[in-house]
């Protein structure tokens, strides 16, 4: 029996004109002689946005597309959603497609939340009766009940994404295309959205998911594809494709660039009795760096100034991934490292002999608090960048220090 | 073509929403709001009346000039405003065209829909005008639904064509206002069809707007059904234009997102 796919992409190319294709009548008329073979050949200024891409997705499968900026990920989604067609190659998609490609495309800022739910649903191809029947479900999912009659122009981008995702998710599409947008919502809505996507997937929806959030891709997708400059670099089980992306030195610069565009710092406290004056990340030679390899040693040095005597303070270092997931937090009192008091300037260091973080971008939060670790004197939230590069190869979320050992039954010994 | 039409019909709710949006958009920011819909033909009627019945004596086959000109301006304003709004409908909604897969013809068609609502509003004024001049009600007004149908076909046909061309050549945007003016003079808006030399009339009536306007005058003001010489060319040309424009539109539709 042949396998059932609901998305099939075969050897797809997409080429765009380098200078944009909007022409004036005049420039177009000036090309007429060339089109009839007079006055030299037409120069081909087209470039490949996608080149020879093939993959297929079965119902109930999630397929991730990852890669640096400008790799052609969004172009792929636009082709899949039918907004444009491939220059060559074949594409087959069965069933109803819902695509969330750009936040709020098709929303109207002058209309209210309620009207926009109807408008957006109609754009996704829902009939009026269907929307009516699902209106409450959509609204409940979005948690925007109180803003229902507010004009959309007063909505935050987080509210936009809630609304858009809620409508699309309640549509029960056969194929769901999602581009990046989930990064906008707050953490709790993100979690909820991901759960909903998983439910849809279990119910047989094919999901195609484009994201810079490699963790989400890893967790959500069965299969993934790595695109770079329009070409398919790797395809297969999502874990190994993500690992290839993170570990292959080719992509380090691009990865770093992507992470560097993320903003730093959720804000700082107004320092009270004590303040953090400087934080530095040091390697084994004592040089300050922001890039470390998995398995290398890292020292986090915190310089502080206590304006008055503080008894039994605690220091905390927390590692967040760029998408906001807390990977690890270490606090002096938890580690049994009791500090009797601090007063005036000083410095504390935490040494990590073998960095267990796998390649990716991280943000460090540093704080000084009271003996319980509750009330904070100073707190630099997600303020320091740490970029982990491929070193010790592994895949997953963390590197667990380990040793291998093998023994064989002696009867096979030569 | 058939699957495309089925798809369009599945999106009729979207079309409806888009017409509502179109109307909101046209008048929401305007101080006089929807009054503009009525004002436009009314002011033109006033100006034409002053110029063409006071200064220049244009023959109207015995019909009071305001009535004569408003009867023509009603369908004409509909066609002109459909085209004006519709031509830029694709380019103005770039966000929708490049980011969502909907049948794109909804956008120009919604512009026509918006103008149809304006047309209905101005028709109310027209009824008042008819009552004021004590125009008798002829049985031939039963032709009106047919005329409206032809007028919609014509407006959609032209709008689909021009909005497509405007995506590829932004020159269209500048050419349209001029073309609309020329088209008005080529239609019996300010003068009667009878002012056109008899031997030129078959050629003249290849302009479907001419036949349409003349038909309105004849069924409402004179109580005469339109002659086949008027009816046949305007119907055939309007329908052929619609079919051609639709096929043309659908053929190029997928390229819009790459070009805009």
């Amino acid at each position: 029996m042949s396998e059932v796919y609901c998305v099939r992409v075969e050897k797809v190319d997409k080429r765009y004109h380098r200078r944009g294709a909007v022409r004036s009548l005049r420039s177009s008329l000036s090309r007429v002689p060339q089109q009839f073979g007079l006055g030299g050949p037409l120069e081909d200024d087209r470039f490949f946005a996608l080149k020879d891409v093939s993959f297929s997705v079965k119902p109930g499968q999630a397929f991730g597309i990852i890669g640096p900026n400008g790799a052609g990920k969004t172009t792929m989604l636009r082709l899949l959603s039918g907004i444009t067609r491939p220059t060559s190659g074949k594409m087959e998609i069965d069933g109803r497609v819902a695509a969330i490609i750009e936040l709020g495309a098709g929303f109207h800022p002058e209309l209210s939340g309620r009207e926009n739910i109807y408008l957006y649903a109609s754009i996704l191809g829902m009939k009026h009766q269907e929307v009516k029947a699902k209106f409450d479900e959509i609204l409940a999912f979005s948690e925007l009940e109180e803003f229902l009659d507010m004009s959309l122009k007063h909505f935050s981008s987080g509210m936009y994404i809630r609304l858009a995702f809620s409508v699309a998710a309640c549509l029960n599409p056969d194929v769901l295309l999602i581009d990046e947008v989930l990064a906008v919502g707050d953490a709790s809505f993100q979690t909820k959205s991901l759960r909903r996507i998983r439910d849809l997937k279990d119910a047989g929806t094919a999901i195609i998911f484009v994201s810079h959030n490699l963790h989400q891709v890893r967790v959500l997708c069965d299969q993934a594809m790595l695109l770079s400059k329009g070409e398919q670099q790797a395809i297969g089980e999502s874990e190994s494709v993500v690992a290839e992306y993170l570990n292959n030195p080719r992509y380090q610069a691009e990865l770093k660039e992507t992470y560097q565009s993320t903003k730093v710092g959720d804000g700082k406290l107004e320092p009270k009795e004590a303040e953090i004056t400087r934080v530095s990340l040091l390697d084994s030679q004592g040089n300050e760096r922001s890039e470390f390899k998995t398995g290398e040693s890292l020292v986090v040095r915190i310089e502080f100034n206590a304006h008055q005597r503080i008894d039994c303070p605690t220091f905390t270092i927390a590692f967040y991934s760029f998408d906001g997931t807390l990977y690890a937090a270490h606090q002096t009192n938890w580690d049994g490292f009791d500090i009797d008091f601090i007063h005036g300037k000083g410095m504390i260091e935490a040494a990590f002999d073998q960095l267990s973080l796998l390649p990716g971008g991280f943000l460090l939060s540093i704080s000084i608090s009271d003996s319980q670790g509750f009330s904070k004197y100073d707190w630099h939230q997600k303020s320091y960048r740490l970029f982990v590069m491929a070193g010790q190869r592994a895949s997953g979320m963390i590197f667990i220090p380990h040793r291998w050992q093998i023994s064989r039954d002696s009867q096979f010994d030569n | 073509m058939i699957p495309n039409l089925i798809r369009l019909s599945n999106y009729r709710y979207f079309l409806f929403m888009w017409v509502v949006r179109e109307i909101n958009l046209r008048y929401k920011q305007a101080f006089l709001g929807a009054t503009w819909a009525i004002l436009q033909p009314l002011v033109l009627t006033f100006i034409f009346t002053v110029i063409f019945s006071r200064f220049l004596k244009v023959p109207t086959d015995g019909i009071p000039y305001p009535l004569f000109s408003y009867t023509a301006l009603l369908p004409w304003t509909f066609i002109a405003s459909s085209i004006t709004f519709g031509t830029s409908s694709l380019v103005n909604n770039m966000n929708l065209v490049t980011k969502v897969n909907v049948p794109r013809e909804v956008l120009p068609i919604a512009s026509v829909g918006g103008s149809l609502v304006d047309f209905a509003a101005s028709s109310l004024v027209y009824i008042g005008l008819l009552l004021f001049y004590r125009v008798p009600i002829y049985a031939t007004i039963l032709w009106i639904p047919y005329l409206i149908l032809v007028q919609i076909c014509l407006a959609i046909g032209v709008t689909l064509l021009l909005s497509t061309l405007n995506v590829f050549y932004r020159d269209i945007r500048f050419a349209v206002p001029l073309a609309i003016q020329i088209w008005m003079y080529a239609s019996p808006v300010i003068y009667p069809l009878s002012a056109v030399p008899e031997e030129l009339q078959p050629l003249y009536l290849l302009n479907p707007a001419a036949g349409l306007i003349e038909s309105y005058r004849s069924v409402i003001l004179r109580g005469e059904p339109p002659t086949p010489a008027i009816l046949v060319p305007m119907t055939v040309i309007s329908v052929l234009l619609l079919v051609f424009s639709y096929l043309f539109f659908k053929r190029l539709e997928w390229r819009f997102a790459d070009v805009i």
Side-chain angles (χ1 to χ4, degrees):
Chain A
M1 203 185 96
S2 70
E3 290 194 272
V4 191
Y5 291 101
C6 57
V7 177
R8 279 171 90 102
V9 173
E10 263 172 62
K11 294 185 176 304
V12 160
D13 285 351
K14 179 69 184 174
R15 305 215 274 168
Y16 282 114
H17 286 276
R18 215 172 280 282
R19 278 169 299 179
V22 180
R23 273 168 276 154
S24 71
L25 202 51
R26 193 169 54 179
S27 76
S28 195
L29 286 176
S30 69
R31 288 158 63 102
V32 169
Q34 278 122 323
Q35 268 157 6
F36 287 99
L38 306 165
L42 274 174
E43 48 166 335
D44 192 351
D45 68 340
R46 295 183 303 170
F47 69 97
F48 283 96
L50 285 173
K51 194 173 183 180
D52 197 18
V53 175
S54 309
F55 65 91
S56 44
V57 186
K58 285 184 226 171
Q61 242 191 3
F63 187 82
I65 302 177
I66 57 173
N69 291 330
K73 305 188 295 291
T74 303
T75 304
M76 192 68 242
L77 280 195
R78 289 170 73 179
L79 289 174
L80 288 168
S81 72
I83 291 167
T84 179
R85 286 186 202 168
T87 312
S88 66
K90 232 171 70 179
M91 280 177 91
E92 286 168 28
I93 295 169
D94 295 331
R96 173 140 84 170
V97 181
I100 314 180
I101 295 193
E102 179 132 324
L103 200 54
F107 277 140
H108 194 281
E110 296 289 334
L111 300 177
S112 71
R114 179 194 304 274
E115 290 166 306
N116 271 294
I117 289 183
Y118 278 98
L119 181 64
Y120 194 64
S122 74
I123 287 173
L124 296 179
M126 266 168 123
K127 301 200 179 77
H128 190 71
Q129 290 308 318
E130 268 180 287
V131 190
K132 240 182 173 163
K134 295 211 166 146
F135 190 84
D136 291 334
E137 187 191 339
I138 294 170
L139 191 59
F141 191 87
S142 72
E143 297 168 23
L144 292 170
E145 286 92 344
E146 49 190 311
F147 306 105
L148 192 56
D149 293 304
M150 191 165 96
S151 163
L152 210 68
K153 61 183 166 195
H154 304 301
F155 274 40
S156 67
S157 58
M159 287 155 84
Y160 261 82
I161 181 58
R162 274 165 184 250
L163 207 60
F165 183 81
S166 305
V167 175
C170 295
L171 183 64
N172 295 331
D174 300 306
V175 180
L176 180 64
L177 312 174
I178 309 168
D179 188 6
E180 212 59 74
V181 287
L182 282 177
V184 182
D186 57 82
S188 78
F189 192 76
Q190 271 190 35
T191 315
K192 195 171 157 187
S193 310
L194 284 172
R195 202 181 313 131
R196 177 77 198 199
I197 293 173
R198 213 165 299 156
D199 288 347
L200 283 171
K201 176 172 156 340
D202 291 342
T205 300
I207 315 277
I208 295 179
F209 188 61
V210 165
S211 186
H212 280 303
N213 187 329
L214 301 175
H215 174 58
Q216 283 180 358
V217 172
R218 213 150 36 186
V219 171
L220 185 72
C221 301
D222 314 292
Q223 301 272 310
M225 163 170 86
L226 170 60
L227 285 178
S228 174
K229 300 196 173 78
E231 291 180 55
Q232 191 171 317
Q233 304 292 349
I235 183 166
E237 193 217 333
S238 63
E239 189 65 56
S240 55
V241 173
V242 169
E244 164 68 17
Y245 185 36
L246 288 175
N247 289 304
N248 194 328
R250 267 184 71 180
Y251 307 114
Q252 295 297 308
E254 292 157 335
L255 258 176
K256 210 175 129 190
E257 196 184 313
T258 310
Y259 283 126
Q260 228 124 45
S261 58
T262 340
K263 77 171 168 60
V264 164
D266 275 5
K268 292 184 182 183
L269 278 187
E270 195 58 50
K272 287 180 285 198
E273 295 84 349
E275 69 180 304
I276 298 162
T277 50
R278 190 175 140 80
V279 172
S280 31
L281 308 182
L282 309 169
D283 63 14
S284 49
Q285 267 81 50
N287 300 318
E288 194 166 345
R289 295 205 321 224
S290 63
E291 291 166 28
F292 289 83
K293 285 182 181 165
T294 304
E296 268 193 311
S297 78
L298 160 74
V299 173
V300 179
R301 176 183 292 167
I302 305 165
E303 291 165 48
F304 58 84
N305 187 2
H307 304 299
Q308 61 184 65
R309 187 188 156 102
I310 295 170
D311 291 316
C312 306
T314 55
F315 287 82
T316 310
I317 300 173
F319 295 84
Y320 289 90
S321 65
F322 270 79
D323 53 71
T325 311
L326 175 61
Y327 268 58
H330 299 292
Q331 197 164 307
T332 46
N333 61 341
W334 294 342
D335 294 337
F337 186 78
D338 295 318
I339 306 162
D340 41 1
F341 74 94
I342 51 171
H343 195 182
K345 289 184 183 169
M347 180 178 97
I348 181 168
E349 286 183 348
F352 300 86
D353 293 334
Q354 232 189 336
L355 193 57
S356 332
L357 297 170
L358 287 180
F362 296 87
L363 289 171
L364 269 60
S365 285
I366 312 282
S367 64
I368 312 179
S369 25
D370 65 3
S371 58
Q372 304 300 309
F374 291 138
S375 115
K376 291 182 168 65
Y377 299 117
D378 197 2
W379 187 16
H380 293 184
Q381 286 183 67
K382 297 183 191 165
S383 303
Y384 303 95
R385 282 180 207 279
L386 166 64
F387 185 73
V388 180
M389 296 181 300
Q392 175 62 48
R393 203 178 160 118
S395 88
M397 290 175 76
I398 56 157
F399 175 80
I400 308 173
H402 56 281
R403 273 178 299 108
W404 298 93
Q405 204 182 344
I406 186 169
S407 57
R408 271 183 306 243
D409 209 334
S410 56
Q411 70 178 95
F412 292 110
D413 279 352
N414 308 337
Chain B
M1 185 159 172
I2 301 296
N4 280 334
L5 287 176
I6 292 171
R7 185 163 139 81
L8 179 59
S9 119
N10 286 339
Y11 275 82
R12 59 187 179 271
Y13 177 63
F14 173 56
L15 175 61
F16 167 75
M17 290 296 292
W18 213 254
V19 172
V20 173
R21 182 185 184 276
E22 174 89 19
I23 296 162
N24 276 335
L25 214 61
R26 275 189 203 184
Y27 301 117
K28 207 161 198 169
Q29 305 284 352
F31 178 63
L32 287 177
T35 323
W36 279 111
I38 302 168
L39 226 51
Q40 238 171 332
L42 216 54
V43 170
L44 282 178
T45 302
F46 176 75
I47 292 168
F48 288 171
T49 304
V50 171
I51 298 173
F52 298 112
S53 75
R54 301 276 156 184
F55 303 169
L56 291 168
K57 299 268 185 265
V58 172
T60 62
D61 307 327
I63 297 159
Y65 197 86
L67 202 53
F68 172 84
S69 108
Y70 199 90
T71 309
L73 280 168
L74 205 56
W76 177 252
T77 310
F78 166 77
I79 292 170
S81 88
S82 296
I83 297 170
T84 311
F85 287 108
T87 301
S88 46
S89 61
L90 293 171
V91 175
N92 285 350
N93 293 297
M94 208 189 315
N95 211 11
L96 200 69
V97 174
T98 56
K99 309 247 159 69
V100 191
N101 183 17
V102 289
R104 295 345 182 311
E105 63 269 31
V106 165
L107 299 176
I109 293 175
S111 300
V112 176
S115 299
L116 194 65
V117 175
D118 290 356
F119 176 76
S122 331
S123 297
L124 294 177
V125 177
Y126 186 56
I127 291 169
L129 211 61
L130 290 174
L131 292 174
F132 178 79
Y133 283 101
R134 296 173 194 284
V135 179
I137 299 169
Y138 301 106
T140 47
I141 58 166
L142 291 174
W143 278 95
I144 292 176
Y146 178 79
L147 296 180
I148 292 179
L149 204 65
V150 174
Q151 148 189 339
I152 292 172
C153 287
L154 177 62
I156 294 179
V158 178
T159 307
L160 283 177
L161 193 66
L162 291 179
S163 58
T164 310
L165 290 173
N166 192 43
V167 169
F168 297 97
Y169 305 108
R170 299 296 156 80
D171 304 69
I172 301 297
R173 197 158 43 103
F174 303 106
V176 161
L178 183 64
I180 288 178
Q181 289 216 335
I182 296 171
W183 194 6
M184 188 185 87
Y185 288 109
S187 308
V189 176
I190 48 183
Y191 54 85
L193 176 65
S194 57
V196 179
E198 195 116 4
E199 64 276 15
L200 280 181
Q201 279 191 14
L203 193 66
Y204 183 84
L205 286 169
L206 288 179
N207 166 11
L212 201 61
I213 289 167
E214 185 53 29
S215 302
Y216 270 106
R217 282 194 183 129
S218 115
V219 303
I220 298 172
L221 302 177
R222 295 196 298 269
E224 297 160 5
T227 61
I230 291 175
L231 210 54
V232 174
M234 85 174 188
T235 309
V236 171
I237 291 173
S238 298
V239 171
L240 282 182
L241 180 70
L242 176 62
V243 173
F244 169 78
S245 298
Y246 187 66
L247 293 175
F248 180 71
F249 188 96
K250 284 316 243 185
R251 208 188 157 85
L252 291 172
E253 182 184 21
W254 69 273
R255 289 178 52 191
F256 293 170
D258 295 348
V259 171
I260 283 185

